[in-house]
Amino acid sequence: MTMRKPFIAANWKMNKTLSETEEFLSQFVPEVKNEHDRDIVIAPPFTSLPLAAEKLRNTNIALASQDVFYEEKGAYTGEISPLMLADIGCKYVIIGHSERRQFFSETDEIVNKKVKTAKKAGLGVIFCIGETLDERETGKTLEILEREIEKGLDGHIDPMEMVIAYEPIWAIGTGKTATPGQAQEVHAYIRKKLEVLYGNKADELCILYGGSVTPDNIDSLMACNDIDGALVGGASLKVDSFASIVKFRR
Ligand code: PGA
């Protein structure tokens, strides 16, 4: 077994109003207060961040945002800078989620700029990569991941302030999880690839799996050697299901 500390993160996507955020956190915080041997992270929508920061202060749960812009300030209507996120108490930011790449035309270059400014502001990065069904079926999975890693992390980014989330796009929100075997195979490949870039440090890096993670499949995913945590969408929206994912057993 690895020495890497498990890392379980909720990605709420475009869900939950302020009152729903309040209700969730009031129940969830006491529910997981004894889980000290794992990192627990929640990424609510931007509008809920200040409230969530308040509710999570002095708890064992860290706050993340779901995206960030790559400039510190200026005339960028509608955008949010890493400085603003750090200022309200965000510890992490999700960058390069496949929905951002798919629906908002984020390229590897944009993702790379975001990673760099987020790091400069002291935010931990949850860096997402993953292949589409078509790419998997045509045997391009590893090539796609290699490109996303090389371009997205270009510029000597210290891996110690980052976690990687492998999310096969065909498994996101579809109920089709990669089997633990399929996920493990890719995770091991990603770690090898990171060794080329970072040497021994790659061994300490957390690699999360994402895509239809549920209370039912978390234990078998976490039993795999190179799976160090999960990025959870749908199943993170209910207190019971996210709490039981957080409380997985190996
Ligand atoms: P899902 O989403 O758990 O709903 O499949 C995961 C993600 O997109 O981060």
Side-chain angles (χ1 to χ4, degrees), residues 10 27 35 50 62 96 115 134 153 165 169 175 196 203 238:
Q27 295 170 27
E35 307 298 318
V115 170
D134 183 51
L153 299 181
I169 295 167
V196 178
D203 205 40
K238 293 236 159 62

Side-chain angles (χ1 to χ4, degrees), residues 38-142:
R38 49 204 68 195
D39 283 312
I40 309 170
V41 176
I42 297 187
F46 283 125
T47 44
S48 287
L49 285 175
L51 172 71
E54 192 64 41
K55 304 273 299 180
L56 298 181
R57 186 164 302 139
N58 299 322
T59 71
N60 56 335
I61 305 164
L63 188 64
S65 76
Q66 299 172 15
D67 186 31
V68 65
F69 192 56
Y70 53 72
E71 294 291 345
E72 290 178 350
K73 60 179 176 178
Y76 303 101
T77 303
E79 292 296 333
I80 305 280
S81 96
L83 295 180
M84 296 168 184
L85 294 174
D87 182 50
I88 61 160
C90 271
K91 193 165 171 206
Y92 298 96
V93 53
I94 299 172
I95 296 181
H97 191 279
S98 61
E99 285 151 18
R100 302 288 325 165
R101 296 181 192 254
Q102 229 179 321
F103 305 133
F104 304 96
S105 316
E106 274 192 20
T107 60
D108 289 319
E109 288 70 24
I110 294 173
V111 168
N112 183 245
K113 283 202 217 175
K114 291 186 171 189
V115 170
K116 283 181 176 155
T117 28
K119 298 215 49 94
K120 201 168 149 215
L123 295 167
V125 172
I126 301 172
F127 176 72
C128 302
I129 55 177
E131 81 285 2
T132 62
L133 184 58
D134 183 51
E135 287 159 352
R136 172 163 281 258
E137 284 175 345
T138 51
K140 294 202 188 108
T141 300
L142 302 184

Side-chain angles (χ1 to χ4, degrees), residues 11 13 97 99 167 171-173 211-213 231-234:
N11 173 11
K13 308 190 179 183
H97 191 279
E99 285 151 18
E167 301 203 304
I172 294 180
S212 299
V213 172
L231 182 54
V232 188

Side-chain angles (χ1 to χ4, degrees), residues 86-226:
D87 182 50
I88 61 160
C90 271
K91 193 165 171 206
Y92 298 96
V93 53
I94 299 172
I95 296 181
H97 191 279
S98 61
E99 285 151 18
R100 302 288 325 165
R101 296 181 192 254
Q102 229 179 321
F103 305 133
F104 304 96
S105 316
E106 274 192 20
T107 60
D108 289 319
E109 288 70 24
I110 294 173
V111 168
N112 183 245
K113 283 202 217 175
K114 291 186 171 189
V115 170
K116 283 181 176 155
T117 28
K119 298 215 49 94
K120 201 168 149 215
L123 295 167
V125 172
I126 301 172
F127 176 72
C128 302
I129 55 177
E131 81 285 2
T132 62
L133 184 58
D134 183 51
E135 287 159 352
R136 172 163 281 258
E137 284 175 345
T138 51
K140 294 202 188 108
T141 300
L142 302 184
E143 180 189 319
I144 296 293
L145 298 176
E146 185 168 331
R147 191 206 71 216
E148 289 179 335
I149 290 172
E150 278 179 358
K151 295 201 167 163
L153 299 181
D154 185 37
H156 305 291
I157 286 144
D158 185 349
M160 290 300 88
E161 293 145 45
M162 178 174 71
V163 301
I164 306 255
Y166 167 58
E167 301 203 304
I169 295 167
W170 48 272
I172 294 180
T174 57
K176 271 196 211 166
T177 338
T179 62
Q182 278 174 325
Q184 165 58 28
E185 186 186 3
V186 176
H187 280 228
Y189 169 82
I190 293 170
R191 200 176 305 283
K192 272 229 173 70
K193 181 75 213 159
L194 293 167
E195 256 165 39
V196 178
L197 297 174
Y198 301 123
N200 287 344
K201 278 188 174 179
D203 205 40
E204 290 164 48
L205 209 143
C206 266
I207 306 178
L208 318 182
Y209 169 78
S212 299
V213 172
T214 64
D216 292 333
N217 59 29
I218 186 71
D219 288 357
S220 54
L221 288 163
M222 291 303 290
C224 301
N225 250 330
D226 288 289

